[in-house]
Amino acid sequence: MRSNAVEIARNYLITSIQESRYRNGDTLPRLKDLALEIGVSVPTLCKATGQLKEQGVLEGRTGRRYRISRNALQLCGDLLREMECGNDQKSTGPLKGWERIREDLRRRIVSGHYLRNNPFPSLMELSHEYGSSFRTIRRALDFLCSENVLVPFNRSYTVRSLSVGAGRNRIGFIVMTDRTMKMQLAGLAEDFYRNLESSCTQSNISLSRYSYLVREEEDLLFHDYHGRPCDFDGSDRMLGYLYVVVAPEYKRDRILGRLSHLNKPAAVLDLIGGWEFPRVINRRNFRIFSSAVSPQCGKEIARFLLSLGHRRIAYISPFHQALWSANRLEGLSCTYRDAGLPDSVREFTYNRPPKINIYYRDQALQRCTIAPLHKAYQQWKESVPEYFIPPLDFLFNFHIPERLIPWAEMHHDLDLLFEQALEDNSISAWVAANDEVACRALDFLGRRRIDVPGKISVVGFDDTQPALQQALTTYNFNMQAMAHAMLDHVLHRQSPLLNQSRKTIELEGLIIERKTTGMNLN
């Protein structure tokens, strides 16, 4: 167990890196001067810097001044997460240098930093990056090979590919649909499904869809791609099942119960949070994955903004009744508070009802009626060719009342929040609940002729197509790596890639830095 003084010195350096007093590539002051600044002895500081070097935060040779590694900010966040989860070294004992490198490489592989079937970085590259000897690096790589995470390839290594034996090449995907059998997937769930289809195609795995209606009063009935009734397949040919929880569904526990009786591996992706796995169901074959729900993405955005010098920020959300929105605010606030900046995250939110589209639709229809428009349309369509009618009927009967009117009402609501945030001149960055809110913020700031990012930086979440079009800095939840990790569980049940001791798996996301964020020069 490390002494209290070493702990103080180590935490001081981690905090200094998170607060950007030391940036990536900076050289630390002389040990004597730094020890005096922290208030510890030089030998104590040597122990603390030695531990941070083993953990990859610092690099350089003993006896010389250390440099901050290029991954230091991210690694410091990882260390804090370990302590928050109760997995700190105080309770588990310190890992050796090669063990830390092994776990860091495992984390990167799961998160998709290294692609399957592509050459792995060389010993020389890894040795330079981690500041360790060839022998230490090779020991970490050999251990990952023994777990079948890596495989030898052309005098080097590569990440093991997803593969299945002959005749065992089918996976079930459970999804909610409407009465026309159209999948009810949007945003992250849709992104996940696209990546899942791509991964299955590349791995020669057939994806069987099991559709169901979510209405409470109906029985739990499944249908295949063609709308024909079907049931779960328990044969050897079926490898396992994937299930995405996208809404507070009435039938979720019943679906999990049915899966538990098949004795097949099942991977469940939780995109809403706030629910617990039923205790009456044996979860031996289940692995729960989570994305976009915990405060972690908010913490990573906060560290990113702190590194750019933003000391006071706004969080803007009309969806704050949702757990994911509250958790993003918690992540932002927690990181700023840990950096010595309490009360530096201002909240501009609405707690609207859970069915927010219905709320805004009803609000809008109270302000304006579309009956005259509908009457005029009925008269007008009598004079147009018949082939115009189906798409126009969809526009007037569904798209306008169900999409455009709620959209306009919500954006009016958002403009009121933007006005309030703009009144605080000390705020230098806006963090929006998602990309839709962030893109609306960019439109608002553009109308006000406010320079982005010169005066205000803007960040979103989800990495959607509109974010790409508007060059918005955003958080990507890494659905490609999520699809790979969930497939890996189904194909290899006790996958060495995944931490088997954790009840829920959450993968690292990516901050996609574009043109809407910059250094705070105010």
Side-chain angles (χ1 to χ4, degrees), residues 1-114:
M1 183 179 294
R2 65 172 74 95
S3 67
N4 188 46
V6 175
E7 180 78 30
I8 290 172
R10 176 177 173 273
N11 290 344
Y12 179 90
L13 291 172
I14 290 175
T15 303
S16 297
I17 293 169
Q18 285 201 300
E19 293 178 357
S20 301
R21 289 202 291 267
Y22 302 124
R23 300 179 183 273
N24 296 351
D26 285 357
T27 302
L28 287 179
R30 292 186 310 165
L31 289 179
K32 183 177 180 181
D33 297 335
L34 191 57
L36 185 63
E37 177 183 337
I38 301 173
V40 297
S41 66
V42 172
T44 296
L45 182 58
C46 285
K47 292 180 181 178
T49 53
Q51 291 171 359
L52 291 176
K53 180 189 173 184
E54 287 186 353
Q55 293 159 352
V57 176
L58 302 179
E59 55 186 28
R61 296 184 178 180
T62 305
R64 299 186 181 182
R65 292 168 66 182
Y66 287 110
R67 280 194 320 276
I68 309 298
S69 72
R70 64 191 179 104
N71 297 320
L73 193 61
Q74 179 179 351
L75 291 171
C76 286
D78 293 340
L79 293 173
L80 288 176
R81 282 201 299 276
E82 288 180 9
M83 289 186 283
E84 290 168 1
C85 295
N87 294 327
D88 189 36
Q89 293 172 355
K90 289 180 179 179
S91 58
T92 61
L95 292 177
K96 299 176 182 178
W98 72 271
E99 292 174 323
R100 287 203 166 273
I101 294 171
R102 176 198 67 196
E103 293 308 309
D104 189 55
L105 290 174
R106 190 197 307 275
R107 174 184 58 81
R108 292 188 186 185
I109 292 168
V110 172
S111 299
H113 289 287
Y114 303 125

Side-chain angles (χ1 to χ4, degrees), residues 378-434:
Q378 294 298 328
Q379 296 173 351
W380 173 77
K381 77 176 185 178
E382 294 177 359
S383 62
V384 301
E386 188 175 345
Y387 59 82
F388 277 103
I389 303 303
L392 289 175
D393 278 348
F394 175 79
L395 176 67
F396 277 88
N397 297 330
F398 176 77
H399 200 68
I400 289 177
E402 300 293 335
R403 295 284 175 84
L404 292 182
I405 285 181
W407 178 84
E409 184 71 18
M410 185 180 74
H411 283 200
H412 171 71
D413 242 9
L414 279 174
D415 284 352
L416 300 178
L417 291 180
F418 297 151
E419 293 280 4
Q420 296 172 26
L422 201 56
E423 291 176 358
D424 190 338
N425 294 323
S426 65
I427 291 175
S428 61
W430 289 5
V431 180
N434 60 16

Side-chain angles (χ1 to χ4, degrees), residues 94-309:
L95 292 177
K96 299 176 182 178
W98 72 271
E99 292 174 323
R100 287 203 166 273
I101 294 171
R102 176 198 67 196
E103 293 308 309
D104 189 55
L105 290 174
R106 190 197 307 275
R107 174 184 58 81
R108 292 188 186 185
I109 292 168
V110 172
S111 299
H113 289 287
Y114 303 125
L115 300 179
R116 297 175 187 272
N117 297 324
N118 280 18
F120 211 65
S122 67
L123 286 175
M124 182 174 293
E125 291 172 321
L126 293 173
S127 177
H128 176 75
E129 179 176 350
Y130 287 103
S132 299
S133 67
F134 281 17
R135 181 181 178 182
T136 300
I137 298 295
R138 188 180 293 280
R139 187 173 182 186
L141 295 175
D142 287 345
F143 193 95
L144 292 174
C145 278
S146 70
E147 292 185 322
N148 201 29
V149 173
L150 295 177
V151 293
F153 174 76
N154 197 20
R155 303 184 69 179
S156 182
Y157 301 90
T158 187
V159 181
R160 170 179 50 77
S161 63
L162 293 170
S163 60
V164 292
R168 291 176 55 85
N169 59 350
R170 200 150 59 89
I171 286 177
F173 181 72
I174 305 166
V175 61
M176 179 176 66
T177 62
D178 61 18
R179 291 193 177 277
T180 65
M181 304 310 295
K182 181 180 179 181
M183 290 191 298
Q184 298 297 287
L185 296 177
L188 290 179
E190 184 178 3
D191 188 19
F192 169 80
Y193 185 71
R194 283 199 304 268
N195 282 287
L196 176 64
E197 277 194 321
S198 176
S199 298
C200 287
T201 300
Q202 293 171 9
S203 304
N204 196 28
I205 299 171
S206 174
L207 197 61
S208 298
R209 194 175 87 182
Y210 292 83
S211 317
Y212 67 97
L213 294 172
V214 75
R215 295 184 182 277
E216 183 178 15
E217 66 275 8
E218 296 176 346
D219 292 332
L220 182 59
L221 302 175
F222 293 98
H223 299 81
D224 62 16
Y225 276 109
H226 306 289
R228 296 174 302 210
C230 64
D231 203 353
F232 291 154
D233 183 357
S235 69
D236 290 342
R237 184 176 172 80
M238 179 62 72
L239 300 171
Y241 291 87
L242 304 178
Y243 172 39
V244 180
V245 180
V246 294
E249 301 170 11
Y250 303 112
K251 302 176 181 176
R252 179 184 56 229
D253 291 357
R254 293 168 64 187
I255 292 172
L256 295 174
R258 293 269 288 273
L259 288 174
S260 68
H261 294 303
L262 296 175
N263 196 30
K264 298 281 185 182
V268 181
L269 176 57
D270 177 17
L271 294 178
I272 59 168
W275 63 280
E276 294 184 359
F277 196 91
R279 294 184 179 181
V280 297
I281 298 176
N282 187 344
R283 59 183 296 167
R284 177 172 57 90
N285 296 316
F286 287 89
R287 172 66 65 187
I288 310 299
F289 295 78
S290 176
S291 182
V293 178
S294 80
Q296 186 54 40
C297 58
K299 292 180 180 181
E300 293 185 30
I301 289 292
R303 287 194 285 267
F304 168 71
L305 292 175
L306 283 169
S307 72
L308 295 177

Side-chain angles (χ1 to χ4, degrees), residues 265-494:
V268 181
L269 176 57
D270 177 17
L271 294 178
I272 59 168
W275 63 280
E276 294 184 359
F277 196 91
R279 294 184 179 181
V280 297
I281 298 176
N282 187 344
R283 59 183 296 167
R284 177 172 57 90
N285 296 316
F286 287 89
R287 172 66 65 187
I288 310 299
F289 295 78
S290 176
S291 182
V293 178
S294 80
Q296 186 54 40
C297 58
K299 292 180 180 181
E300 293 185 30
I301 289 292
R303 287 194 285 267
F304 168 71
L305 292 175
L306 283 169
S307 72
L308 295 177
H310 296 282
R311 294 294 182 262
R312 187 166 174 81
I313 65 174
Y315 177 70
I316 304 172
S317 172
F319 314 108
H320 214 52
Q321 84 293 338
L323 179 64
W324 57 263
S325 178
N327 280 344
R328 286 174 194 180
L329 175 60
E330 179 187 342
L332 292 167
S333 302
C334 178
T335 301
Y336 269 77
R337 187 168 57 250
D338 290 346
L341 297 168
D343 304 320
S344 291
V345 181
R346 284 204 61 188
E347 174 186 347
F348 301 92
T349 61
Y350 290 130
N351 288 302
R352 299 306 190 202
K355 296 182 178 180
I356 194 167
N357 279 348
I358 296 176
Y359 167 81
Y360 279 120
R361 182 198 64 192
D362 294 343
Q363 290 291 311
L365 292 178
Q366 289 177 12
R367 301 176 190 272
C368 67
T369 175
I370 62 171
L373 178 64
H374 191 267
K375 182 178 179 180
Y377 166 64
Q378 294 298 328
Q379 296 173 351
W380 173 77
K381 77 176 185 178
E382 294 177 359
S383 62
V384 301
E386 188 175 345
Y387 59 82
F388 277 103
I389 303 303
L392 289 175
D393 278 348
F394 175 79
L395 176 67
F396 277 88
N397 297 330
F398 176 77
H399 200 68
I400 289 177
E402 300 293 335
R403 295 284 175 84
L404 292 182
I405 285 181
W407 178 84
E409 184 71 18
M410 185 180 74
H411 283 200
H412 171 71
D413 242 9
L414 279 174
D415 284 352
L416 300 178
L417 291 180
F418 297 151
E419 293 280 4
Q420 296 172 26
L422 201 56
E423 291 176 358
D424 190 338
N425 294 323
S426 65
I427 291 175
S428 61
W430 289 5
V431 180
N434 60 16
D435 286 346
E436 181 183 4
V437 177
C439 288
R440 180 64 179 180
L442 292 177
D443 294 340
F444 173 87
L445 294 171
R447 295 197 305 270
R448 293 302 185 89
R449 299 185 183 279
I450 295 173
D451 181 28
V452 176
K455 183 173 176 58
I456 295 178
S457 290
V458 180
V459 184
F461 293 87
D462 295 344
D463 194 19
T464 59
Q465 185 68 21
L468 175 64
Q469 294 169 345
Q470 296 201 41
L472 170 72
T473 295
T474 183
Y475 189 89
N476 183 305
F477 286 98
N478 205 358
M479 286 295 111
Q480 181 181 29
M482 182 65 74
H484 284 171
M486 292 177 69
L487 279 174
D488 204 73
H489 167 69
V490 170
L491 299 178
H492 305 98
R493 195 171 302 197
Q494 297 297 322

